[in-house]
Amino acid sequence: MSRIGKLPIKLVNGVNVTVNGNKVVVKGPKGELSREISNDITVEVKDGEVILTRKNDLKETKALHGLYRALINNMVKGVTEGFEKKLYVVGVGYKVAKQGNKLVFNIGYSHPIEFEAPQGITLDVIQLNDLNIKTIDRLAAGVSVKGIDNVLVGQVAANIRCLRLPELYHGYGIRYSTEDIHLKPGKTGK
């Protein structure tokens, strides 16, 4: 039995899980999420818990057992609490501004870069005085990515980070708030 897959998912009040064939729909106070699952995995809802079982013991099915349990657990967490990823914009003269549903980045290129939020994602700019961080030199601003779909929040945060990857000599660029950049030493004189 999979160690993760055999754990039941506890449902909190206000969350409703329905299973139609191999489609799982989770409804909660923040919204609704759905996901197609493999035919080899069976999903049952009983006594306020979601229980996943597998039909065979093939290696691929064992891997999918834990995967789908984690995905459905994230769906339940997303419709109740939501997910958030924070990014830091570090660099001299770097700026971020919010215009409607998009962010405008001035991050060292000859032109500003506009990044529009996909549906279901909320983008916000966190100013320096709200971050309370003193350790990052030349920190310009922070960006908050919020949503109910964990996969989409992570993908949007990764796309924002790819606009200007952190460079290793000064640390300029866009990084995750949990990311630790180890700077390389510069050239030394003789």
Side-chain angles (χ1 to χ4, degrees):
M1 219 41 202
S2 169
R3 293 180 184 178
I4 299 294
K6 69 181 179 181
L7 298 174
I9 302 168
K10 302 218 184 288
L11 298 178
V12 296
N13 290 340
V15 176
N16 185 17
V17 177
T18 57
V19 181
N20 297 329
N22 60 346
K23 184 175 183 178
V24 178
V25 179
V26 180
K27 293 180 185 176
K30 291 197 174 234
E32 177 181 329
L33 293 172
S34 64
R35 180 170 300 277
E36 295 281 334
I37 63 169
S38 173
N39 292 329
D40 294 331
I41 305 295
T42 305
V43 180
E44 293 179 300
V45 181
K46 58 182 175 183
D47 299 332
E49 292 182 338
V50 179
I51 300 169
L52 281 78
T53 55
R54 60 177 185 255
K55 295 180 181 176
N56 56 43
D57 284 336
L58 296 175
K59 186 176 181 180
E60 181 181 339
T61 308
K62 288 180 181 180
L64 291 177
H65 189 202
L67 171 73
Y68 285 127
R69 191 266 178 202
L71 290 174
I72 293 172
N73 188 43
N74 283 340
M75 290 166 62
V76 170
K77 184 179 176 187
V79 297
T80 54
E81 303 169 20
F83 292 98
E84 178 181 18
K85 284 209 178 264
K86 292 183 182 176
L87 297 111
Y88 296 150
V89 180
V90 180
V92 176
Y94 287 12
K95 297 177 191 168
V96 182
K98 185 172 181 175
Q99 293 179 354
N101 196 27
K102 63 184 175 182
L103 295 178
V104 178
F105 291 91
N106 290 319
I107 47 177
Y109 295 117
S110 62
H111 58 285
I113 297 174
E114 296 181 352
F115 187 88
E116 191 163 347
Q119 186 161 351
I121 295 293
T122 305
L123 298 175
D124 289 319
V125 176
I126 308 169
Q127 297 304 326
L128 285 177
N129 50 2
D130 297 333
L131 288 174
N132 296 328
I133 295 176
K134 307 283 189 244
T135 58
I136 300 177
D137 191 28
R138 298 181 180 98
L139 179 63
V143 175
S144 171
V145 181
K146 295 179 185 175
I148 62 172
D149 188 359
N150 190 24
V151 175
L152 187 59
V153 168
Q155 185 61 53
V156 169
N159 291 345
I160 290 174
R161 184 178 180 272
C162 284
L163 295 177
R164 179 68 111 176
L165 294 174
E167 57 96 16
L168 299 178
Y169 290 99
H170 298 101
Y172 295 171
I174 301 174
R175 64 175 86 164
Y176 296 114
S177 63
T178 56
E179 188 174 9
D180 200 17
I181 304 292
H182 299 285
L183 299 180
K184 289 184 176 181
K187 293 182 179 178
T188 57
K190 290 186 177 182

